[in-house]
Amino acid sequence: MIDKLTAREDHGGPLSWNAGEVGDGAEIKRSTWTVEIKREQNPFVQHGTEQVRAVRVIDHGRLGYATSRTQPWAQLKEEAYAATPFGPETYMDEPVLEENESEPVSSQWDPSLMPSMMAAAKTLYHKLEDLDPRFRPTVSISYEEIETHLSNSLGGHVAFIREYWAISAGGRLVTDTDFHAISETRLGPSALSQASELGDVVVERFKMGQPIRSVTPGRYPVVFLPPVVMNLLTPVLTRLSGPSLLAGSSPWDDQAGKPVLSPLFTLISDPTIPGAPRTGRWDDEGTLTQRTPLVEKGILQDFILDRDSARRRGQEPQGMGFRRTPGALPAALPANLVLSPGTGELAEWGAHFPFLLILGGWIGARPTNPIRGDIAGNASELYVMENGVITGRAKNVVVSLNALDALSHQLLDIGQDSHWVPQGMMTVAPGLLPPVLIDAVDIQVRR
């Protein structure tokens, strides 16, 4: 290693590295432009920018990390070194970053788009506001860019930008005895053009939920719509994650090449989908990304590893080290999650089962033990289909299952129409997910 390697700094002051040092510095800028409309509130328009400098260093096998919005790079580096005695052990190394690999990082935002965003949001909101005076609709349209400049102790530098559109619509109807929540989201380059279709979906689901139908406790076939499919994936992702493998808590540690889920199930980490939130050539550690099948037709293919967990397992990193937020450490996280669609359709399922439930909202549905996979939550959007016709909505229902059993032995079919589920507080990655049909789901009714 050449003494005094200096990372190229087109975006700030110099960050110098001495011979034998290992680390990196990143400047991350997240910019968002948002239009939001809620009942009894004026339309909300906001442009926000969050800019963070972050430095990682390794000293005596321990990781130190420091972030700031304003501090000089040299001071951040000192603070990162000061944190290493208390940091975790790490096997992380730095990727070789070629000078000529950077992508153009100019913003694609066009201020002339704001009137179109506002007009689309108002049109969508007006479609929802007259459904019921008790219904409190919310409409949001946003565009986000995350620009990253990354340099490391090997002297290289890359710059890249990720951008995506998002549009969401829904609302809540709350009474003394009822709670009906609806939420739908579209992501990607065509999201804005889907506003009208999105409104139609919310209107249809609101109207479907007006008749209240009683349900007898028992076990029923249930269609899980994309937002709640993400809840089912949480235990799967936990078993696939580097930290679980390194802690020795994942039962799948030695199951590569073996069946772990239903043959209908294929899950992929895909950084190549145009306009998706985690699409790009590099992850947040500077590792080149690639499309990675995690489970293919039920067979375990690969794990979710950042550079540290990959090196600990003796594997090559595959570009799955992402930040949850601009100031967070990169962690072992997938890119855009894709659950491969099947050929199933709701009409077909309804014709096969005389009594079918459709779950669209699942409050508090978090695994009590992510490794075991037990999940229970209150259904905030649970429709009843009888003889192929949706006859209303069930309320005061608790839906329970073991997600791993459900995706192994109870998975009957997978639908063909996938929709995006955004990353959130309880979701580790954005997902392009279809509905799934699960048999023998436990249904209990609260009195």
Side-chain angles (χ1 to χ4, degrees), residues 396-417:
N396 300 327
V397 172
V398 177
V399 179
S400 306
L401 49 61
N402 180 281
L404 296 162
D405 287 341
L407 297 173
S408 298
H409 314 300
Q410 298 164 243
L411 181 59
L412 298 176
D413 203 358
I414 296 181
Q416 58 183 289
D417 295 324

Side-chain angles (χ1 to χ4, degrees), residues 8-192:
R8 175 180 152 198
E9 294 292 337
D10 293 339
H11 59 288
L15 181 59
S16 298
W17 300 93
N18 296 315
E21 289 187 316
V22 179
D24 56 44
E27 186 156 26
I28 309 107
K29 182 173 74 171
R30 178 169 65 184
S31 301
T32 56
W33 292 263
T34 303
V35 173
E36 185 176 80
I37 305 178
K38 297 182 178 182
R39 186 179 289 278
E40 299 176 355
Q41 296 184 21
N42 292 325
F44 177 76
V45 180
Q46 182 180 21
H47 166 52
T49 298
E50 178 184 6
Q51 192 156 344
V52 177
R53 290 178 171 182
V55 175
R56 298 190 302 178
V57 298
I58 299 173
D59 191 29
H60 294 91
R62 291 190 175 274
L63 179 66
Y65 185 62
T67 66
S68 174
R69 296 183 179 182
T70 58
Q71 286 183 350
W73 288 102
Q75 185 176 346
L76 270 181
K77 185 180 173 186
E78 290 178 6
E79 292 181 358
Y81 269 111
T84 55
F86 314 101
E89 293 184 356
T90 183
Y91 282 53
M92 184 192 84
D93 60 355
E94 291 292 338
V96 175
L97 307 176
E98 299 296 338
E99 290 282 341
N100 59 359
E101 284 189 331
S102 295
E103 297 175 344
V105 292
S106 58
S107 173
Q108 301 300 304
W109 171 249
D110 182 353
S112 67
L113 292 171
M114 186 59 77
S116 299
M117 292 170 63
M118 178 61 75
K122 286 182 175 179
T123 299
L124 181 51
Y125 178 81
H126 293 324
K127 184 176 287 191
L128 306 181
E129 67 173 339
D130 295 330
L131 285 173
D132 188 305
R134 301 169 300 171
F135 185 63
R136 304 187 67 84
T138 299
V139 171
S140 174
I141 299 176
S142 65
Y143 174 73
E144 177 171 300
E145 293 181 338
I146 301 180
E147 178 182 338
T148 300
H149 294 256
L150 177 67
S151 57
N152 66 25
S153 51
L154 297 181
H157 168 264
V158 293
F160 53 89
I161 190 166
R162 303 188 191 114
E163 69 273 349
Y164 70 96
W165 283 92
I167 178 169
S168 62
R172 296 182 176 185
L173 188 151
V174 182
T175 68
D176 292 340
T177 60
D178 193 14
F179 179 83
H180 185 197
I182 306 169
S183 179
E184 276 287 306
T185 299
R186 301 289 183 267
L187 298 180
S190 63
L192 202 59

Side-chain angles (χ1 to χ4, degrees), residues 246-385:
L246 298 177
S249 59
S250 174
W252 290 353
D253 188 6
D254 59 352
Q255 297 299 299
K258 299 178 182 179
V260 294
L261 295 171
S262 165
L264 298 173
F265 187 96
T266 294
L267 186 66
I268 300 164
S269 172
D270 192 346
T272 68
I273 303 171
R278 286 187 181 163
T279 289
R281 291 181 62 196
W282 299 276
D283 69 2
D284 291 329
E285 296 187 293
T287 308
L288 287 169
T289 59
Q290 62 186 52
R291 185 178 182 274
T292 305
L294 302 170
V295 179
E296 190 167 16
K297 295 182 179 180
I299 307 297
L300 177 59
Q301 300 292 333
D302 220 324
F303 297 101
I304 301 169
L305 307 175
D306 57 6
R307 295 194 71 85
D308 172 59
S309 52
R311 293 308 189 200
R312 286 174 185 262
R313 290 180 60 84
Q315 296 180 224
E316 286 298 315
Q318 295 181 317
M320 285 187 276
F322 290 94
R323 303 176 191 270
R324 279 181 172 266
T325 62
L329 264 170
L333 298 171
N336 307 300
L337 275 176
V338 178
L339 178 59
S340 295
T343 59
E345 294 182 337
L346 182 59
E348 173 191 342
W349 297 338
H352 183 77
F353 293 98
F355 190 88
L356 185 66
L357 298 175
I358 304 167
L359 182 64
W362 204 7
I363 298 175
R366 295 188 291 272
T368 53
N369 182 327
I371 293 295
R372 276 185 48 84
D374 296 323
I375 304 177
N378 296 307
S380 59
E381 192 183 2
L382 182 66
Y383 303 104
V384 178
M385 176 175 274

